[in-house]
Amino acid sequence: MKVINSLKDIRSFIKNHKPNKKISLIPTMGNLHSGHVELIKSAPSSSVKIVSIYVNELQFNDRNDYLSYPRTLEDDLSVCEDNNVDLIFNPDHLVIGEHLDSNKYDLPKFTTYMCGAKRPGHFLGVYRIVKFLFEIFEPNYAYFGKKDFQQLLLIKYIANTYFPKLKIIDIDTVRNCNNVALSSRLSKISSGSFGKVKLIFQILQAMKKKLQSGLDYNFTRESSLIEFKNNNIPVEYLDLRSLDTLKELVKVNSKCGIFIACYIDNVRLIDNIEI
Ligand code: AMP
């Protein structure tokens, strides 16, 4: 497994790789867990597997969140080694900065909802780094998790608009035995608060059942919000939305999901379930 930090070395790696081999790209911010591993394992072993590890400052609207983001490079390297990754791209901030597309961006409407509304600049930061990674690696496949569903739609939009030959593969959310969606941010939560973390999925799942049984959406949503409040879990958004457009819905349809962002121990967590 190679670890490369510079763009020059990346360019020569890409130039020299066997032309008949496909490239699979798995972009991450490191602190790898089983969710990331699922993405890595889903890439065909016949392809060149590239994992990028880069904590992208541009997508953090909160500087403290950026500074305290867990960085565990040594562990991440052994996770990648164990999972037959061929190349790690772990660039320095300065390597990336000057290469990002700063002018030409066209964020679709759906990036203004949910995380887009609450985290100014977040999706522009995602857009700029991901477009850059697709440009330098020219991957055939790129792997992203449905846990970050709004981001996944943006990635598909970028691929459709600029990289028509690139196939985006989406991977179901990996959860632990308590149905908690794995996230690097979980390491910032105290063990005493794990009971609260478990409630997120439980409440979403209960909402799903109620909606499927025909209960009124506004009533269901309100009672879930009360449950979060009673457990001292501040909720940033809790919405029923279309999986295609992310437009807010007031009734379930054949392609919709419930999306949440909330805070536990001041750590922002997101999750979603399809209905
Ligand atoms: P991150 O390192 O958090 O930026 O995530 C890198 C990639 O891993 C993104 O495509 C995420 O959606 C995906 N990912 C993160 N957590 C999970 C999870 N629990 N299950 C599946 N994919 C995940």
Side-chain angles (χ1 to χ4, degrees):
M1 185 178 80
K2 276 191 173 220
V3 182
I4 292 185
N5 311 98
S6 82
L7 281 185
K8 191 172 130 273
D9 292 346
I10 285 295
R11 290 200 173 104
S12 71
F13 178 92
I14 297 294
K15 215 169 119 197
N16 294 328
H17 98 281
K18 295 198 188 83
N20 56 341
K21 271 207 156 190
K22 305 252 197 253
I23 293 184
S24 299
L25 177 67
I26 301 109
T28 80
M29 295 203 297
N31 192 243
L32 303 182
H33 51 64
S34 306
H36 298 111
V37 169
E38 197 56 37
L39 271 61
I40 296 171
K41 282 190 174 156
S42 303
S45 48
S46 56
S47 65
V48 181
K49 290 196 192 193
I50 302 177
V51 172
S52 67
I53 298 182
Y54 178 64
V55 183
N56 174 29
E57 189 174 1
L58 289 176
Q59 70 189 66
F60 285 80
N61 56 312
D62 174 345
R63 181 133 186 93
N64 281 333
D65 188 24
Y66 170 69
L67 293 174
S68 65
Y69 197 83
R71 289 161 172 86
T72 51
L73 186 60
E74 285 310 309
D75 290 348
D76 295 347
L77 295 183
S78 42
V79 169
C80 289
E81 185 92 62
D82 292 347
N83 287 282
N84 304 317
V85 170
D86 296 290
L87 171 69
I88 306 280
F89 179 46
N90 176 228
D92 193 80
H93 185 56
L94 293 174
V95 172
I96 296 268
E98 62 188 276
H99 295 276
L100 296 184
D101 177 352
S102 57
N103 304 314
K104 295 170 261 144
Y105 54 82
D106 50 350
L107 292 181
K109 176 84 177 148
F110 65 76
T111 62
T112 62
Y113 311 144
M114 301 191 288
C115 293
K118 302 295 180 185
R119 304 185 67 189
H122 170 67
F123 285 120
L124 180 56
V126 171
Y127 176 105
R128 291 174 68 196
I129 187 73
V130 168
K131 189 157 174 269
F132 165 77
L133 292 172
F134 288 170
E135 275 161 5
I136 48 166
F137 288 109
E138 294 183 35
N140 302 88
Y141 313 110
Y143 294 78
F144 291 86
K146 287 192 193 173
K147 181 185 157 284
D148 301 278
F149 194 89
Q150 195 172 8
Q151 167 177 283
L152 174 65
L153 285 198
L154 174 60
I155 307 297
K156 288 185 173 170
Y157 169 84
I158 297 171
N160 284 337
T161 310
Y162 302 103
F163 307 93
K165 288 194 214 135
L166 166 61
K167 193 160 167 20
I168 302 298
I169 320 279
D170 45 35
I171 304 294
D172 284 342
T173 302
V174 176
R175 300 178 182 279
N176 69 13
C177 56
N178 295 312
N179 278 323
V180 171
L182 296 182
S183 159
S184 302
R185 287 193 172 83
L186 288 177
S187 62
K188 301 207 286 182
I189 292 177
S190 64
S191 53
S193 296
F194 280 159
K196 285 189 184 183
V197 181
K198 283 196 250 174
L199 281 176
I200 300 174
F201 184 82
Q202 285 170 14
I203 297 176
L204 291 187
Q205 189 68 9
M207 273 184 89
K208 174 174 169 170
K209 285 204 177 126
K210 285 181 197 166
L211 292 173
Q212 282 174 330
S213 74
L215 271 186
D216 173 69
Y217 169 64
N218 285 323
F219 172 77
T220 304
R221 180 173 180 273
E222 276 313 309
S223 45
S224 301
L225 286 172
I226 291 170
E227 216 174 329
F228 280 112
K229 193 163 181 219
N230 289 344
N231 285 285
N232 293 318
I233 303 174
V235 173
E236 197 174 74
Y237 61 76
L238 176 66
D239 297 341
L240 178 69
R241 291 193 177 252
S242 151
L243 296 180
D244 291 326
T245 62
L246 291 184
K247 283 205 177 117
E248 200 165 3
L249 303 171
V250 286
K251 264 203 261 177
V252 288
N253 66 22
S254 59
K255 261 189 120 186
C256 65
I258 309 170
F259 296 81
I260 185 166
C262 62
Y263 287 84
I264 293 176
D265 284 357
N266 282 323
V267 177
R268 188 175 184 278
L269 297 173
I270 60 171
D271 200 355
N272 66 82
I273 53 170
E274 290 179 28
I275 297 190

